[in-house]
Each structure stands twice: as structure tokens, then as C-alpha cells.
Amino acid sequence: MSSPDERAAGFSLSVDVAQMRDWVHDFAVDVIRPAAAEWDEREETPWPILEQAAKVGLYSLDFFSSQWLDPSGLGMVVAFEELFWGDAGIGLSLAGSGLAAVAVASNGTDEQIGEWLPQMFGGPGEVKLGAFCSSEPDAGSDVGAIRTRAVYDEAADEWVLNGTKTWVTNGGIADVHVVVASVDPSLGSRGQASFIVPPGTRGLSQGQKFRKHGIRASHTAEVVLDDVRVPGRCLVGGKERMDARLARIAEGRSSGEQAAMRTFERSRPSVAAMAVGIARAALEYSAEYARNRVQFGRPIGQNQAIAFMLADMQASVDAARLLTWRAAWMARHGLAFSRAEGSMSKLVAGETAVRVTEQAIQILGGNGYTRDFPVERWHRDAKIFTIFEGTSEIQRMIIGRAVTGLDVR
Ligand SMILES: Cc1cc2nc3c(=O)[nH]c(=O)nc-3n(C[C@H](O)[C@H](O)[C@H](O)COP(=O)(O)OP(=O)(O)OC[C@H]3O[C@@H](n4cnc5c(N)ncnc54)[C@H](O)[C@@H]3O)c2cc1C
């Protein structure tokens, strides 16, 4: 049975996606939610939960690829909404390898996809992780400022990587790192490419591990690359394709695309879905609270001030989900984001999650401000969605360019 917003959009979830949603939801209820507060406090990757998810097939390449390739385009976003409804920190530990996997799946050769993606997930009893390393201390929003260098050693057919990456989800603890580096600094962002760093490669080490405001069950750290040598076959997409691309740029036949940007663009609706999951959790929790909490002899939800707040929260969550599903559907059907639909979904869902979780705290009053209730954690978790994978300002810049046709900066 599809919900009203699914019917209004003119599409319903397929039986397969609806069944998958219920299965992921049950895992979120039974396994993720009960563990959320503990792992938030521990600020560590929740390995036992990853193991449990691997055992049932939820943390697996098979699950990720089948949802990513779901014909409706909605598999991944529906799954992420449920996981992050459970908990965003644990959810990101379960989803973090996906960004590295998408970087290779979107731009890599069939051989690279076959060789490296299984090593980003592993299986029951040997859970593995992937990490996508783009950001640097001086290159966050400004991806073009990346300084990490990749130099080709022709005699050895190896690439040598040097630089420091920061804010890397699963950084240093991942089995496979995908690193964005500059191959030709004279071309700026257009001279960048992505490289796979295989497990155990010498010269890659973890720097500082960050202590964060939210999503604390997800590991975020610096990654230091000191004369890291990777085989020639680890250049994502292969050298022939990169050389041809650089030649087209040099001859002025192509403007050139940033490797990292392509990855971010494709993954934005999935990130939006994560934010929708947090917002929906806060909405449901605070609506239930408003029905039960009595002040002045009646449930607080009977006050228009509270009911109107919940009405706004519900409307924004549904609007964010519809933008998310539209972008995911467009991506699956090969439609270009000509009006920056991917960015719209990320912008609206991220800001909705921050606002709705803040409203949820307000509805819970003093209880909302304590760690005995989950809404304060959800509010801390929500904030990252206006920052990573392109800040809200960067999303507005991209949408602004699409709307005006001008080079908005
Ligand atoms: C928990 C966490 C996990 C992350 N995971 C990863 C990961 O796995 N891999 C990875 O590569 N990166 C990751 N990141 C990095 C993340 O993508 C960056 O933090 C983000 O892109 C912003 O970059 P910055 O922090 O350097 O901020 P800055 O770029 O320094 O921005 C600071 C402020 O200035 C604003 N600003 C910057 N430029 C403009 C402009 N032109 N116009 C208007 N405003 C502007 C920004 O919007 C922001 O408000 C992660 C970050 C965090 C916090």
C-alpha cells in the first residue's frame, strides 16, 4: 500500500522496494535504535552492529548494488531513510563505504569495479570498509584547491601519491581508500583524478581522529599520504581514458569535469534521504509526545502553537522526501540535473532535518534538552547535513547558477 505522497508523485514503490523498506525498518527498530545512545557516547565505529548487518546481508556489496541499480531509482534512498531513521551515526558507519564504492562504480572500469568493490564491504566474519578522500585542510568547498599530487613513475608503472586528506569518513580504518589527487596542477580542478589505494599500502596512515558534535558513531579522521605507491591499474577509469580527457582539455575541446564533483553529484539524493530519515524520526517522536504530555489539563498537542509546528514539520519532511525521490528517479532514468535537482534535494532535506529536530526539542521542553531523550542527539546529528557533501551555501550556488544561467560565485 503506497502512502499519499508516493501516489501524489505519480509513482508507487515496487513490491520489492516496499518489502526491502520494511526489512531495513525492522533492523533499525531491533538493532540500530537500541544501540544508538551507547555508540554516540563511545564515539567509535560500531563494529558489532556492522557485523550483525553483514550477517543478515544488509551490510554487503550485494545489498548496496541491488538498491543502487533498482530500476525505479528509489531503492537506495528508501533504504537510507530507514537506516538513518534508526540512527545517523550508525547509519553512516553502514553507508560510509558507499561513497568510495560510488566513486569507483561511476568512473571506474569493469575490472576495477569487480576487483575493489568487494574489498570495500567484505562479508560476515570479515567486515571491510571503504573511504572516499577528497577534502583537504585548504580544499573543502573549493575542491579545485586540492594539493595532493599524483605523479606517474613510468618505469615501475606506479602512481606516487603525496598529500594530506582531512574529514575522511572511515579514514585510516578503511581497507580501501579512494583518493582524489592532482595529476596536472596547471589544469586546476580539471587536472584531477581518483586513485584506489589497496589495503595495507605502505605510506598511508591515519592522522588526527576528530571528536564531533554529532554522528559520533561514524569515524572521521585525517589521512596522510607519504610517498604512497599504487599500481598503474589503480587510476580510476584507467590511464588511457585520463590521457584522452587531458588532451581534450589541452586542445580546448572539453571544459573537463572534476572527478570528485561527479561522485558528489550522483550521491546527493542518497545523502538527502539520510537527512529525511532523521527528520522523520524527530517528527514521529515529538508528535507522539505531544499527544501524551498534558499541561493545563490537556495534551500539549491540542495547542495550535504545537499542532501548527507539527503541521509544518510534517509538510517539510514530505516536501524533502519528494525532492529526494525526484532526484533519485531522474538519476536512474538518465535525466540530467539541469535545474540542479540533486542539489535541491540535499539543500532542502539537510535544512529540514536541522529545523525539524530543533522543533522536536522545543516540543519536548526540558526533556528534549537531555540525553535521556533521543531528540537532542538527532539535532546534533542533523547539523552535518548542511555541511558535508557540499554545504548549504555551495548547494545554493549550484542551484543559483542553474536558475540564472550566470557564473554565480
Ligand atoms: C563529519 C564529516 C564527515 C566528512 N566526510 C568526508 C569524506 O568522507 N570525504 C571527504 O572528502 N570529505 C568529507 N567531509 C568534508 C566535507 O565535505 C567538508 O567539510 C565540506 O565540503 C566543507 O568544507 P570545509 O569544512 O573546508 O568548509 P569551507 O569550505 O572552509 O567553508 C566554510 C564556510 O564558508 C562557506 N563558503 C565557502 N565557500 C563559499 C562560497 N563560494 N560562497 C559562499 N559560502 C562559501 C561554506 O558554505 C561554509 O559555511 C566530511 C566532513 C565532516 C564534518
Side-chain angles (χ1 to χ4, degrees), residues 92 96 99 131-143 165-171 212 214-215 218-220 264 384 386-394 397 409:
L92 196 59
L99 193 57
F132 181 68
C133 317
S134 170
S135 305
E136 297 182 0
D138 293 322
S141 302
D142 184 5
V143 178
K165 294 294 178 180
T166 194
W167 305 121
V168 181
T169 300
N170 297 339
K212 306 193 299 292
I215 53 162
S218 166
H219 170 102
T220 317
F264 285 141
I384 192 59
T386 66
I387 297 172
F388 71 1
E389 292 265 328
T391 64
S392 285
E393 290 74 22
I394 295 302
M397 197 164 80
R409 287 177 180 277

